[in-house]
Short mmCIF file of all heavy atoms in Angstrom, two decimals:
data_model
loop_
_atom_site.label_atom_id
_atom_site.label_comp_id
_atom_site.label_asym_id
_atom_site.label_seq_id
_atom_site.Cartn_x
_atom_site.Cartn_y
_atom_site.Cartn_z
N GLY H 479 -2.85 2.82 3.21
CA GLY H 479 -3.61 1.73 2.57
C GLY H 479 -4.70 2.34 1.69
O GLY H 479 -5.15 1.70 0.72
N GLY H 480 -5.30 3.46 2.07
CA GLY H 480 -6.35 4.05 1.36
C GLY H 480 -7.53 3.15 1.18
O GLY H 480 -7.85 2.37 2.13
N ILE H 481 -8.12 3.11 0.04
CA ILE H 481 -9.38 2.35 -0.20
C ILE H 481 -9.17 0.88 -0.07
O ILE H 481 -10.10 0.09 0.14
CB ILE H 481 -10.00 2.80 -1.53
CG1 ILE H 481 -11.54 2.61 -1.53
CG2 ILE H 481 -9.35 2.07 -2.73
CD1 ILE H 481 -12.18 3.51 -0.55
N LEU H 482 -7.89 0.39 -0.27
CA LEU H 482 -7.63 -1.05 -0.22
C LEU H 482 -8.05 -1.59 1.14
O LEU H 482 -8.46 -2.78 1.20
CB LEU H 482 -6.13 -1.35 -0.36
CG LEU H 482 -5.53 -1.15 -1.73
CD1 LEU H 482 -4.05 -1.21 -1.65
CD2 LEU H 482 -6.03 -2.34 -2.63
N GLN H 483 -7.99 -0.86 2.19
CA GLN H 483 -8.32 -1.35 3.50
C GLN H 483 -9.78 -1.79 3.70
O GLN H 483 -10.09 -2.65 4.50
CB GLN H 483 -7.96 -0.39 4.65
CG GLN H 483 -6.51 0.05 4.70
CD GLN H 483 -5.58 -1.15 5.18
OE1 GLN H 483 -5.92 -2.24 5.16
NE2 GLN H 483 -4.37 -0.73 5.55
N GLN H 484 -10.67 -1.17 2.94
CA GLN H 484 -12.06 -1.63 3.00
C GLN H 484 -12.45 -2.60 1.94
O GLN H 484 -13.55 -3.17 1.94
CB GLN H 484 -13.01 -0.38 3.02
CG GLN H 484 -13.07 0.36 1.73
CD GLN H 484 -13.97 1.63 1.87
OE1 GLN H 484 -13.73 2.47 2.68
NE2 GLN H 484 -15.08 1.62 1.15
N CYS H 485 -11.58 -2.76 0.94
CA CYS H 485 -11.87 -3.76 -0.14
C CYS H 485 -11.34 -5.11 0.32
O CYS H 485 -10.27 -5.56 -0.18
CB CYS H 485 -11.11 -3.33 -1.42
SG CYS H 485 -11.79 -1.77 -2.01
N ILE H 486 -12.09 -5.77 1.17
CA ILE H 486 -11.58 -7.00 1.86
C ILE H 486 -11.65 -8.23 0.96
O ILE H 486 -11.20 -9.28 1.27
CB ILE H 486 -12.31 -7.29 3.14
CG1 ILE H 486 -13.82 -7.54 2.88
CG2 ILE H 486 -12.11 -6.16 4.17
CD1 ILE H 486 -14.55 -8.26 4.02
N HIS H 487 -12.36 -8.08 -0.24
CA HIS H 487 -12.41 -9.18 -1.18
C HIS H 487 -11.09 -9.48 -1.84
O HIS H 487 -10.11 -8.68 -1.71
CB HIS H 487 -13.50 -8.88 -2.30
CG HIS H 487 -13.31 -7.55 -2.86
ND1 HIS H 487 -13.64 -6.38 -2.32
CD2 HIS H 487 -12.82 -7.23 -4.10
CE1 HIS H 487 -13.40 -5.34 -3.10
NE2 HIS H 487 -12.86 -5.86 -4.24
N ASN H 488 -11.01 -10.64 -2.48
CA ASN H 488 -9.75 -10.93 -3.13
C ASN H 488 -9.80 -10.62 -4.65
O ASN H 488 -10.80 -10.14 -5.15
CB ASN H 488 -9.38 -12.40 -2.83
CG ASN H 488 -10.40 -13.36 -3.45
OD1 ASN H 488 -11.54 -13.01 -3.57
ND2 ASN H 488 -9.98 -14.55 -3.78
N GLY H 489 -8.65 -10.84 -5.31
CA GLY H 489 -8.58 -10.50 -6.71
C GLY H 489 -7.56 -9.43 -7.01
O GLY H 489 -7.40 -8.99 -8.18
N PHE H 490 -6.84 -9.03 -6.00
CA PHE H 490 -5.81 -8.01 -6.14
C PHE H 490 -4.42 -8.65 -6.29
O PHE H 490 -4.17 -9.73 -5.74
CB PHE H 490 -5.79 -7.08 -4.97
CG PHE H 490 -7.09 -6.43 -4.71
CD1 PHE H 490 -8.01 -6.96 -3.84
CD2 PHE H 490 -7.34 -5.16 -5.24
CE1 PHE H 490 -9.24 -6.37 -3.57
CE2 PHE H 490 -8.61 -4.54 -4.98
CZ PHE H 490 -9.50 -5.12 -4.15
N GLY H 491 -3.57 -7.96 -7.02
CA GLY H 491 -2.12 -8.41 -6.99
C GLY H 491 -1.68 -9.49 -7.97
O GLY H 491 -0.48 -9.80 -7.97
N LEU H 492 -2.57 -9.99 -8.82
CA LEU H 492 -2.13 -11.01 -9.78
C LEU H 492 -1.08 -10.61 -10.70
O LEU H 492 -0.15 -11.39 -11.03
CB LEU H 492 -3.36 -11.53 -10.56
CG LEU H 492 -4.24 -12.47 -9.76
CD1 LEU H 492 -5.62 -12.69 -10.53
CD2 LEU H 492 -3.56 -13.88 -9.61
N HIS H 493 -1.07 -9.34 -11.14
CA HIS H 493 0.03 -8.84 -12.02
C HIS H 493 1.23 -8.43 -11.19
O HIS H 493 2.35 -8.86 -11.43
CB HIS H 493 -0.43 -7.69 -12.81
CG HIS H 493 -1.57 -7.98 -13.74
ND1 HIS H 493 -1.38 -8.31 -15.05
CD2 HIS H 493 -2.88 -7.96 -13.58
CE1 HIS H 493 -2.54 -8.52 -15.65
NE2 HIS H 493 -3.47 -8.32 -14.78
#
Side-chain angles (χ1 to χ4, degrees):
Chain H
I481 206 68
L482 284 167
Q483 298 292 15
Q484 70 183 60
C485 297
I486 64 162
H487 51 282
N488 61 334
F490 302 89
L492 280 168
H493 297 266

